């Protein structure tokens, strides 16, 4: 039997489809050894189709450092609300011979003063030693602060411990967001950043629940253990590739980026590394332009058009976050529950608020990359404004009716409180920090973020220390309506000035600021 026709037919087919083979060789700059990638191309009808599989970065390697950093953010929530269950327990035990209102005020507010101080310090170490080492160093005052609180013989030393804790959490809330924004992919950056808010909400809820069943000392001891775990765990996470490139360490940046993306070869992350190179102003196309600016003063870099716009937006968001009325609402949680005629125990009320907060931040995890930053800010500012107006109306009604709340509207204050917490925590609460980490240029991120963080905590201290005086001056209803007006002004500010960063790389965000 003659098989020549069959042999000829498949020989031609084989030669047409499989004989065109191309090899591409890519060199990783400054890496020493060269890495090559072999790819096969099929030529059909004079068209070449590259069949090299596209590398898909893995999410799991990004989740591990996120979880470690979130443990630090967990402590931020725990430190902030520690006084809620601890101060009543200290009073029940008649510790320190009894607590005066001034003692309680300083124990509660000393943490905000520590956070004010931590801004410049954290900003300095952020650019000097890197993101990872900054997180490690901030764990040290966290441990020292909890030790001082747990074993304090006097109110003064306990307040000092709270101050030291404030130094730690003020730095963590800034450095954590900067670090996570720089290690995460663009497609999941919003969700990764939302995880810090979930951790913070979890720390708040954990403290409320544990403080209900255990003493203030046991609560402090548990936080000492968590702080030690943070100190031991953070050195195991990768350094930020953006920071390493900014410092000129491209080889190490590539290695860390491979860890974060789950890559096995350099060429798999080469494109992203080049984008980060451009973002950090190390791209070869603009090196000549930047070489003359390498010795610019900090003031010159801060007063560039792009930097000024980013700083203006960041500081504006910090103002509207702290003057949104969140502290006022939290201080009056018990009175709001009372106005709702619930007759619930104070600890139960606190746990309900903790659950509400955690629900809100989890909700933001699903919304931030679907609706975008701007839309969430609009919803948040208008929603908090409406809730504060409703609370002001209820307290105005009570003032005019000898403290009584009609049964027909007894549900209004409780619903307003629950919705207020949700609106705050899906928008202005976390997004003020997220946007700060996204829009501030790398070469001024340390000092600019430090200034914004200190400014935020300074506003928190002012609100905390003056709310009693302002209530006596204005009345509760006007106090809430004042914050409602601020929230509406915040909506206008966000509509006019805040850009949308969803779906954009850090490089694209910076280019937008430079071009506008």
């Amino acid at each position: 039997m003659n098989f020549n026709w069959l042999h000829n037919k498949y020989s031609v087919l084989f030669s047409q489809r499989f004989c065109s083979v191309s090899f591409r060789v890519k060199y990783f700059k400054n890496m020493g050894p060269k890495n090559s990638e072999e790819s096969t191309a099929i030529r059909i009808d004079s068209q070449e189709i590259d069949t090299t599989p596209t590398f898909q970065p893995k999410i799991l390697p990004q989740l591990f450092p996120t979880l470690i950093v979130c443990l630090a953010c967990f402590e931020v929530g725990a430190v902030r609300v520690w006084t809620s269950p601890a101060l009543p327990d200290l009073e029940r035990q008649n510790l320190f011979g009894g607590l005066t209102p001034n003692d309680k005020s300083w124990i509660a507010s000393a943490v905000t003063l520590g956070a004010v101080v931590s801004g410049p310090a954290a900003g300095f170490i952020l650019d000097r030693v890197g993101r990872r080492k900054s997180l490690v160093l901030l764990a040290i005052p966290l441990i020292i602060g909890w030790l001082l609180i747990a074993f304090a013989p006097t109110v003064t030393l306990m307040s000092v411990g709270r101050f030291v804790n404030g130094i730690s959490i003020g730095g963590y809330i800034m450095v954590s967001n900067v670090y996570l924004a720089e290690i995460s992919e663009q497609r999941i950056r919003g969700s990764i950043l939302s995880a810090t808010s979930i951790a913070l909400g979890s720390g708040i809820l954990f403290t409320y629940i544990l403080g209900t069943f255990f003493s203030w000392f046991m609560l402090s001891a548990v936080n000492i253990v968590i702080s030690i775990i943070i100190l031991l765990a953070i050195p195991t996470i990768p350094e930020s590739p953006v920071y390493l490139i900014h410092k000129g360490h491209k080889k190490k940046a590539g290695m860390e980026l491979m860890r974060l993306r789950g890559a096995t070869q350099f060429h798999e992350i080469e494109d992203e590394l080049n984008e980060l190179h451009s973002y950090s102003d190390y791209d070869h196309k603009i090196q000549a332009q930047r070489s003359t600016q390498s010795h610019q003063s900090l003031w010159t870099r801060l007063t560039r058009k792009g930097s000024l716009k980013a700083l203006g937006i960041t500081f504006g968001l910090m103002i509207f976050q702290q003057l949104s009325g969140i502290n006022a609402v939290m201080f009056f949680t018990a009175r709001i529950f009372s106005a709702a005629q619930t007759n619930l125990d104070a600890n139960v009320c606190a746990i309900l608020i903790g659950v509400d907060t955690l629900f809100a931040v989890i909700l933001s995890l699903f919304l931030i990359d679907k609706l975008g930053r701007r839309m969430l800010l609009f919803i948040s500012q208008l929603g908090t404004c409406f809730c504060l107006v409703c609370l002001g109306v209820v307290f105005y009604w009570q003032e005019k009716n000898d403290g009584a709340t009609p049964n027909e509207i007894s549900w209004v204050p409780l619903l307003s409180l629950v919705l207020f917490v949700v609106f705050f925590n899906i928008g202005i609460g976390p997004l003020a920090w997220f946007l700060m980490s996204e829009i501030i240029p790398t070469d001024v991120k340390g000092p600019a973020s430090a200034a914004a963080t200190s400014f935020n905590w300074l506003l928190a201290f002012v609100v905390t220390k003056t709310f009693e005086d302002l209530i006596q001056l204005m009345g509760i209803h006007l106090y809430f309506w004042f914050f409602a007006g601020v929230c509406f002004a915040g909506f206008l500010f966000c509509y006019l000035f805040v850009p949308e960063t969803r779906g954009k790389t850090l490089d694209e965000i910076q280019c937008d600021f430079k071009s506008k």
Side-chain angles (χ1 to χ4, degrees), residues 55-69 131-132 178-188 192 234 236-245 252-266 268-269 272-273 276:
F55 174 70
Q56 183 66 34
K58 298 176 178 62
I59 294 178
L60 189 60
Q62 300 173 65
L63 291 183
F64 174 72
T66 300
L67 291 175
I68 299 299
V69 171
R131 286 39 166 163
R132 180 175 59 190
V178 170
Y179 174 78
L180 293 179
E182 292 180 350
I183 70 164
S184 55
E185 292 178 77
Q186 166 268 322
R187 63 187 174 115
I188 59 170
I192 290 288
I234 288 178
T236 65
I237 65 177
E239 178 57 277
S240 161
V242 173
Y243 167 77
L244 292 172
I245 291 178
K252 191 172 182 181
M255 296 172 64
E256 296 291 50
L257 191 60
M258 286 182 64
R259 287 180 61 189
L260 289 165
R261 301 295 181 260
T264 57
Q265 298 183 37
F266 279 114
E268 293 173 334
I269 52 90
E272 184 177 1
L273 189 68
L276 295 179

Side-chain angles (χ1 to χ4, degrees), residues 461-477:
F461 175 75
V462 171
V463 172
T464 304
K465 292 296 289 182
T466 62
F467 84 98
E468 287 283 5
D469 296 330
L470 290 176
I471 286 170
Q472 294 296 324
L473 178 66
M474 305 168 62
I476 299 177
H477 61 285

Side-chain angles (χ1 to χ4, degrees), residues 113-396:
L113 284 180
V116 171
V117 173
S118 75
F124 178 81
I125 64 174
L126 185 69
D127 282 340
R128 294 302 187 280
V129 304
R131 286 39 166 163
R132 180 175 59 190
K133 287 184 180 179
S134 297
L135 291 167
V136 172
L137 292 175
L138 288 169
I140 297 173
L142 187 65
I143 297 172
I144 294 173
W146 280 122
L147 287 171
L148 288 173
I149 291 170
F151 300 102
T154 63
V155 170
T156 301
L157 199 56
M158 181 171 283
S159 298
V160 171
R162 291 280 291 166
F163 177 86
V164 175
N165 267 354
I167 293 175
S168 181
I169 70 167
Y172 268 140
I173 204 166
M174 175 185 73
V175 178
S176 297
N177 281 287
V178 170
Y179 174 78
L180 293 179
E182 292 180 350
I183 70 164
S184 55
E185 292 178 77
Q186 166 268 322
R187 63 187 174 115
I188 59 170
R189 190 172 67 238
S191 299
I192 290 288
L193 288 171
S194 293
T196 60
S197 295
I198 294 176
L200 193 149
S202 300
I204 292 173
L205 180 59
F206 172 82
T207 302
Y208 284 152
I209 294 175
L210 198 67
T212 300
F213 301 103
F214 296 96
S215 68
W216 69 272
F217 178 81
M218 182 61 66
L219 186 60
S220 304
V222 170
N223 282 287
I224 292 172
V225 174
I226 295 174
S227 302
I228 293 174
I229 293 174
I230 292 171
L231 180 62
L232 297 176
I234 288 178
T236 65
I237 65 177
E239 178 57 277
S240 161
V242 173
Y243 167 77
L244 292 172
I245 291 178
H246 183 64
K247 293 298 182 181
H249 306 305
K250 185 178 180 182
K251 177 179 178 179
K252 191 172 182 181
M255 296 172 64
E256 296 291 50
L257 191 60
M258 286 182 64
R259 287 180 61 189
L260 289 165
R261 301 295 181 260
T264 57
Q265 298 183 37
F266 279 114
H267 68 79
E268 293 173 334
I269 52 90
E270 186 175 6
D271 289 342
E272 184 177 1
L273 189 68
N274 288 334
E275 288 180 7
L276 295 179
H277 219 43
S278 175
Y279 165 63
S280 298
D281 289 340
Y282 273 85
D283 190 86
H284 67 281
K285 294 180 180 179
I286 58 173
Q287 278 184 356
Q289 176 186 351
R290 287 299 182 193
S291 62
T292 58
Q293 302 176 2
S294 60
H295 300 293
Q296 285 182 340
S297 67
L298 175 61
W299 178 254
T300 302
R301 285 178 278 136
L302 285 172
T303 52
R304 291 194 309 249
K305 268 190 176 182
S307 299
L308 284 177
K309 183 175 181 181
L311 284 171
I313 292 172
T314 299
F315 274 76
L317 289 172
M318 295 303 178
I319 291 173
F320 292 115
Q321 183 202 67
Q322 284 300 324
L323 297 185
S324 65
I326 184 64
N327 290 311
V329 170
M330 292 298 102
F331 290 145
F332 285 98
T333 297
R335 290 189 62 174
I336 293 171
F337 274 93
S338 176
Q341 301 176 5
T342 59
N343 297 320
L344 293 175
D345 179 74
N347 288 322
V348 175
C349 295
I351 292 173
L352 289 175
I353 293 301
V355 172
D356 189 28
T357 301
L358 186 58
F359 165 78
V361 295
I362 292 175
L363 180 63
S364 70
L365 177 67
F366 296 99
L367 296 178
I368 191 168
D369 282 328
K370 296 184 181 298
L371 297 182
R373 279 63 156 165
R374 274 171 60 86
M375 182 57 68
L376 281 182
L377 284 171
F378 297 161
I379 295 171
S380 175
Q381 293 293 73
L382 291 178
T384 52
C385 176
F386 177 75
C387 292
L388 288 168
V389 169
C390 292
L391 287 172
V393 169
V394 170
F395 282 108
Y396 178 77

